[in-house]
Amino acid sequence: MRVLVLLKQTPDTWGERELDLATGLVRREPSEAVLDEISERAAEAALLLKDADRSTEVVGVSMGPSFTRDAILKALSMGVDAGVHVLDDTLSGADLALTAATLASAIRETGFDLVIAGNESTDGRGGVLPAMLAEHLGVPHLTSLDSFELVDGTVHGARATGSGTMDVQAALPAVISVTERIAEPRFPNFKGIMGAKKKPMTVLAAPSVATVGRSVVTSTTARPARAAGTKIVDDGHAADRLADYLASAGLL
Amino acid sequence: MTDVLTFVEIAPDGTVLPSAQTALAAASALGTPVAVGVASGDAVAAELGTLGAARVLLAEPHASLGGAETEAVLAALQLVQPSAVVLAHTTMGQDVAGRVAARLGTGIAVDAVSLRSDDGTVVATHSVFGGSYLTESVVEGGVPVITVREGAIAEAPAAAEGAVTRLDSAVDAARYGVAGERHDAVAAVGRPSLQSADRVVAGGRGLGSAEDFALVEQLADALGAAVGASAPPSTPATSTSRPRSGRPARRSPRPVHRARHLRRDPAPCGHAVREDHRRHQPRPRGPDLRGRRLRYRR
């Protein structure tokens, strides 16, 4: 069985994340580009399948500029068997429609029984890509799974809904997305890190895909600096002033 | 006024979910909201009308996960020629938006915080990186599919008629997963949820202890507000399972993975929290990975 994991490289949330005000693209300099945490969890979910059944092949798939290779290597060092890197200058600034069509093409070319994605990335927070891929691939999607298991060629899972969970299932092949509850990602060990570079990494050029429309960012503005708050010192009238303040804010 | 196709989420028992209000309010900024949803009876139409839906298009439920919803939106697109398709940015909204946009091959804008029409062009505003940036996007070519952050748009549109049309849509079950039993885990807290609250009273480390946090709860109850907490992970005293208010929690009635949320979106908590985090970071060990310091993230 072949399990594909979608990997995304994102700006590290520990640093300042910045957008280029002229182009609207993410500025790469201020923060290190890392494998997104939710991608690590998706990879862990796939590796748990591999731990249970050693015949499972786990392939990491990512799309991005040349240094996205580092993110794929991170997944390989965790234990993923092979990487697929969709690398093409024409994909710079790709919107979701183009990204989904391109990834779907790469996934079809690689072949899959199960595609595991994170439910949403830390930078884009879109969460629509898994369903878009399922539509392109013509397979079922099960998104936002807190847990899942494979039984006789069917994936059963608990989907996080706004008010609890819902039991869902789909026959393979399928696309699923997992939440941060799925599993704690493992640390790459020394052997994994050293072996990662020797694992197969396929670089694919962008296929020619046609989309009807595309989303374009027209303007980007930075949030103005936050103004200082109001501090009320208790001199005997603090309660009155606090009430006045809340009233002036329309809260009373 | 052009029609704006608005996907509304309706629970299996026929209640209109709060996300429908967001979607209809967002759509009313662009034109006439035409609601599309999945319900077995026509009873929901009156409620959708009061929320601003001029027309209501309803399809029959199906056992698939998102199948009936997706096909209903696509069938509705045959009936109305909308200027945009608007959905709430919920799990279901995301799935339906993705499916519809991929089927049409059109552009998709996600997690918008406001919508406006600029001479017929739909402009979506997005709050990016925890609110550090505001970006505007448009979709070139095709009908834009837009998801709107739940609770981001407060203005309620005027009530409308909500005339019902039944949709005739077929679901290809092989393309969708199967939806099973629901396990609701919502504890009744008697306060508005963080996502939909007009007012939020938030507290954090400054309160000192869990007992003092009751002050926040009392004030919230007095104001009819939701309770939020900004407590960092290092102070377990105030780290109950209250959702943080800095970033609207997706599943507010449930315990929140606080540490993850702080790291995913640290901006609203200020620098102190992150520096706190950094101090506990283990010193990097291990070999160089392509000349770069290998960072252990946990």
Side-chain angles (χ1 to χ4, degrees), chain A residues 105-130:
Chain A
S105 166
I107 288 168
R108 214 178 283 122
E109 197 169 313
T110 310
F112 70 102
D113 295 300
L114 180 65
V115 177
I116 306 181
N119 62 340
E120 57 182 29
S121 63
T122 49
D123 58 348
R125 310 202 58 86
V128 295
L129 198 82

Side-chain angles (χ1 to χ4, degrees), chain A residues 9 11-21 24 26 32-38 40-41 67 69-70 73-74 77 95-97 100 119-129 131-136 138-144 146 159-170 179-181 184-185 187-188 190 193-194 197 210-224 226 246 250-252, chain B residues 65-67 70-71 89 91-111 123 126 128-142 147 149 173-186 198-200 219 223 247 250-257 260-269 271 274 277-278 281 286-290 292-298:
Chain A
Q9 193 180 38
D12 195 343
T13 52
W14 282 11
E16 280 300 320
R17 298 177 295 174
E18 291 181 15
L19 291 182
D20 190 316
L21 294 179
V26 174
E32 202 181 344
V34 296
L35 178 60
D36 199 3
E37 184 182 332
I38 198 71
E40 290 181 15
R41 289 178 192 268
F67 49 84
R69 187 184 158 82
D70 296 347
L73 276 173
K74 171 77 189 282
S77 67
D95 70 339
L96 278 160
N119 62 340
E120 57 182 29
S121 63
T122 49
D123 58 348
R125 310 202 58 86
V128 295
L129 198 82
M132 294 180 89
L133 285 177
E135 181 63 37
H136 280 299
V139 299
H141 71 260
L142 302 181
T143 50
S144 286
D146 281 348
R159 168 184 163 95
T161 65
S163 55
T165 60
M166 182 204 254
D167 295 336
V168 290
Q169 57 171 295
T179 69
E180 66 267 22
R181 287 165 179 257
E184 284 296 321
F187 286 110
F190 185 76
I193 293 166
M194 297 313 285
K197 281 178 251 183
T211 56
V212 178
R214 64 189 190 117
S215 173
V216 185
V217 173
T218 52
S219 83
T220 307
T221 48
R223 174 177 58 191
R226 221 177 278 194
L246 290 175
L251 285 165
L252 291 183
Chain B
L65 179 65
T70 304
E71 300 303 334
H89 195 71
T91 319
M92 179 57 84
Q94 289 170 340
D95 288 353
V96 175
R99 284 269 180 182
V100 169
R103 186 86 61 93
L104 300 174
T106 184
I108 180 168
V110 292
D111 202 17
V123 182
H126 310 264
V128 184
F129 290 163
S132 301
Y133 294 89
L134 283 179
T135 66
E136 289 184 340
S137 75
V138 297
V139 168
E140 293 175 349
T147 66
R149 187 177 294 184
R175 295 173 72 100
Y176 296 96
V178 180
E181 203 181 332
R182 286 167 177 272
H183 307 280
D184 282 345
V186 178
D198 293 335
R199 301 163 180 175
V200 175
L219 183 58
L223 297 174
R247 168 185 163 270
R250 285 285 302 279
R251 296 177 293 277
S252 54
R254 306 172 66 197
V256 169
H257 289 242
R260 171 170 165 76
H261 281 236
L262 285 170
R263 199 157 61 235
R264 276 172 78 97
D265 197 354
C269 276
H271 292 256
R274 285 205 309 269
H277 236 346
R278 231 176 250 276
Q281 186 188 349
D288 252 23
L289 194 64
R290 298 165 311 287
R292 275 179 33 199
R293 204 183 72 181
L294 180 69
R295 169 182 274 181
Y296 284 90
R297 304 191 68 210
R298 240 164 261 96

Side-chain angles (χ1 to χ4, degrees), chain B residues 174-248:
Chain B
R175 295 173 72 100
Y176 296 96
V178 180
E181 203 181 332
R182 286 167 177 272
H183 307 280
D184 282 345
V186 178
V189 288
R191 292 196 188 96
S193 82
L194 207 44
Q195 285 136 316
S196 58
D198 293 335
R199 301 163 180 175
V200 175
V201 179
R205 206 159 28 167
L207 285 158
S209 70
E211 289 73 44
D212 285 350
F213 205 87
L215 292 171
V216 171
E217 292 168 343
Q218 286 164 13
L219 183 58
D221 289 342
L223 297 174
V227 170
S230 62
S234 50
T235 54
T238 46
S239 294
T240 59
S241 61
R242 282 186 198 88
R244 284 178 52 232
S245 55
R247 168 185 163 270

Side-chain angles (χ1 to χ4, degrees), chain A:
Chain A
M1 193 177 75
R2 182 174 284 171
V3 177
L4 262 54
V5 185
L6 296 189
L7 306 171
K8 185 170 183 184
Q9 193 180 38
T10 58
D12 195 343
T13 52
W14 282 11
E16 280 300 320
R17 298 177 295 174
E18 291 181 15
L19 291 182
D20 190 316
L21 294 179
T23 62
L25 299 175
V26 174
R27 284 187 64 209
R28 305 282 181 179
E29 300 83 31
S31 58
E32 202 181 344
V34 296
L35 178 60
D36 199 3
E37 184 182 332
I38 198 71
S39 296
E40 290 181 15
R41 289 178 192 268
E44 175 65 33
L47 292 172
L48 289 174
L49 292 178
K50 185 179 165 68
D51 290 346
D53 175 7
R54 299 305 296 178
S55 66
T56 304
E57 185 191 8
V58 181
V59 182
V61 181
S62 192
M63 166 179 148
S66 56
F67 49 84
T68 299
R69 187 184 158 82
D70 296 347
I72 302 174
L73 276 173
K74 171 77 189 282
L76 294 181
S77 67
M78 285 172 71
V80 171
D81 297 310
V84 173
H85 183 182
V86 184
L87 171 67
D88 205 312
D89 289 343
T90 59
L91 294 173
S92 172
D95 70 339
L96 278 160
L98 181 58
T99 304
T102 305
L103 280 175
S105 166
I107 288 168
R108 214 178 283 122
E109 197 169 313
T110 310
F112 70 102
D113 295 300
L114 180 65
V115 177
I116 306 181
N119 62 340
E120 57 182 29
S121 63
T122 49
D123 58 348
R125 310 202 58 86
V128 295
L129 198 82
M132 294 180 89
L133 285 177
E135 181 63 37
H136 280 299
L137 298 168
V139 299
H141 71 260
L142 302 181
T143 50
S144 286
L145 298 185
D146 281 348
S147 62
F148 74 92
E149 56 179 356
L150 291 180
V151 184
D152 299 335
T154 308
V155 52
H156 297 259
R159 168 184 163 95
T161 65
S163 55
T165 60
M166 182 204 254
D167 295 336
V168 290
Q169 57 171 295
L172 297 181
V175 176
I176 67 171
S177 79
V178 296
T179 69
E180 66 267 22
R181 287 165 179 257
I182 196 81
E184 284 296 321
R186 63 192 68 183
F187 286 110
N189 59 21
F190 185 76
K191 195 169 147 229
I193 293 166
M194 297 313 285
K197 281 178 251 183
K198 298 194 188 77
K199 289 182 176 173
M201 176 96 78
T202 313
V203 178
L204 297 177
S208 60
V209 290
T211 56
V212 178
R214 64 189 190 117
S215 173
V216 185
V217 173
T218 52
S219 83
T220 307
T221 48
R223 174 177 58 191
R226 221 177 278 194
T230 308
K231 217 178 233 178
I232 295 175
V233 182
D234 190 3
D235 55 359
H237 304 284
D240 292 345
R241 287 165 62 197
L242 191 54
D244 288 347
Y245 174 76
L246 290 175
S248 69
L251 285 165
L252 291 183

Side-chain angles (χ1 to χ4, degrees), chain B residues 71-100:
Chain B
E71 300 303 334
V73 173
L74 289 162
L77 281 166
Q78 306 290 325
L79 289 182
V80 288
Q81 273 70 48
S83 58
V85 181
V86 175
L87 311 91
H89 195 71
T90 58
T91 319
M92 179 57 84
Q94 289 170 340
D95 288 353
V96 175
R99 284 269 180 182
V100 169

